[in-house]
Amino acid sequence: MMPARRLIPPGFLPILAAALLGAGATAAPARPLTTGGKLLLTNGISTLDGAAGGGLAPWAVIAGNGTDDGIGAQAQLTRVVLRDYDYRGIGVAVGFRDRVELSFARQSFDTNRIGAALGLGRDYRFVQNVLGAKVRLAGDLVYGRMPAVALGAQLKDGRNDAVVRALGARADRDVDVYVSASRLLLAHSLLVNGTLRLTRANQLGLLGFGGDKGGGRMLAFEGSAAWQLSRRLAIGGEYRMKPDRLGIAREDDWVDLFAAWAVNRHVTATIAYVDLGEIATRPRQRGVLVQLQAGF
């Protein structure tokens, strides 16, 4: 039988415990759970890793439309079409009393015709599951003097162990830990976010973790800014710093420019231009991200 520490690496356990304890603490008042209540778009969309935030970077917001006396959830379908590759993702996240978030995402990266050139076979797919936990520690996105601050962790479990190790990766399973600070400046209709992530993931972990250029984690910055043009429409951009651990597959930082439209209180549609740089020996991987998110 596989040991428990192999199934759930120790780095994920403190954050998960904090999330569960936070859920218990916030559930203590004898108030019935409600749904809804947040301002439109303030729950963010879903990141590629499954957490609530922007498309690339998590924010210090909790999934769903529930406020501090409610529960909320959101589910997403994401597609990224690049010059040489395709990405598909699905995910779900649940928020409890605007304090605790638990999420799950399944990522699939299709190498298309490039798979044959890489010796993997045409249309070879890298697949990964991501289990996330996030706790809002302090502050508030909209009110008060202090911005919302959240601590999160993502357990990333790859399904391509032999392949990623052949590429030079040191593991196919690991944990990212991050802290985010977010603030919505209502007077300017501007949301700003900064995230610091401790990671050694190659291309989100789809190409494993660590490599011949280094096995340790790096502290990476991720930033987002969104300007709300109206109650229902926001535009903005994001930047995500990436490790570069594999000698055979250089990795560049990511950027995007996005527009998110709240079709109604329960459905959000997002489109973005993304520049993901070099991926698996192929440079200039630019294209379009589209996401449909539904929630309450």
Side-chain angles (χ1 to χ4, degrees):
M1 180 179 293
M2 185 178 294
R5 63 180 181 179
R6 172 61 175 160
L7 292 172
I8 303 180
F12 183 72
L13 293 176
I15 309 285
L16 179 59
L20 294 175
L21 289 173
T26 55
R31 294 178 294 171
L33 289 175
T34 61
T35 58
K38 286 184 182 177
L39 299 175
L40 283 177
L41 297 173
T42 57
N43 60 313
I45 61 171
S46 299
T47 67
L48 298 179
D49 295 322
L56 301 184
W59 301 348
V61 299
I62 300 301
N65 294 323
T67 56
D68 60 1
D69 62 351
I71 185 171
Q74 57 198 46
Q76 53 91 3
L77 297 172
T78 303
R79 176 84 183 273
V80 185
V81 180
L82 302 171
R83 179 182 179 185
D84 294 306
Y85 305 109
D86 288 326
Y87 170 93
R88 292 175 174 83
I90 60 173
V92 62
V94 181
F96 301 92
R97 297 189 184 273
D98 201 26
R99 179 68 62 179
V100 173
E101 173 185 297
L102 299 176
S103 63
F104 172 80
R106 184 173 179 84
Q107 305 169 325
S108 177
F109 181 76
D110 193 330
T111 59
N112 297 332
R113 61 182 177 83
I114 303 302
L118 295 173
L120 301 174
R122 186 182 178 95
D123 294 320
Y124 181 86
R125 291 186 179 183
F126 290 90
V127 177
Q128 178 172 249
N129 293 332
V130 183
L131 180 64
K134 183 198 301 183
V135 183
R136 181 167 59 86
L137 300 175
D140 190 89
L141 181 69
V142 181
Y143 305 108
R145 295 184 177 181
M146 185 175 181
V149 178
L151 176 67
Q154 293 168 336
L155 169 61
K156 300 185 172 184
D157 184 8
R159 299 298 194 213
N160 308 274
D161 182 60
V163 173
V164 299
R165 289 183 183 276
L167 293 174
R170 301 192 181 188
D172 71 330
R173 182 184 286 110
D174 204 20
V175 174
D176 282 4
V177 178
Y178 65 88
V179 60
S180 297
S182 306
R183 187 66 170 182
L184 175 60
L185 306 172
L186 277 176
H188 305 284
S189 300
L190 179 67
L191 184 147
V192 291
N193 174 81
T195 295
L196 291 176
R197 179 187 298 267
L198 199 59
T199 182
R200 60 172 185 158
N202 306 317
Q203 302 297 355
L204 302 181
L206 287 161
L207 298 186
F209 302 87
D212 54 296
K213 294 169 66 175
R217 291 173 173 81
M218 68 170 281
L219 190 62
F221 172 75
E222 302 167 14
S224 309
W227 181 30
Q228 202 160 352
L229 297 177
S230 70
R231 276 186 77 242
R232 297 184 181 276
L233 178 63
I235 61 173
E238 296 182 286
Y239 166 81
R240 180 164 177 165
M241 186 183 293
K242 307 292 292 307
D244 184 20
R245 297 290 192 250
L246 291 177
I248 196 174
R250 175 184 167 184
E251 187 163 355
D252 294 325
D253 297 345
W254 288 0
V255 296
D256 75 13
L257 297 172
F258 66 85
W261 170 255
V263 179
N264 54 44
R265 181 160 289 279
H266 304 291
V267 178
T268 303
T270 302
I271 186 168
Y273 164 79
V274 295
D275 184 345
L276 308 186
E278 183 170 319
I279 298 178
T281 76
R282 298 292 168 165
R284 297 183 295 278
Q285 294 305 310
R286 303 172 185 135
V288 177
L289 176 152
V290 292
Q291 182 181 107
L292 187 64
Q293 175 177 283
F296 64 87

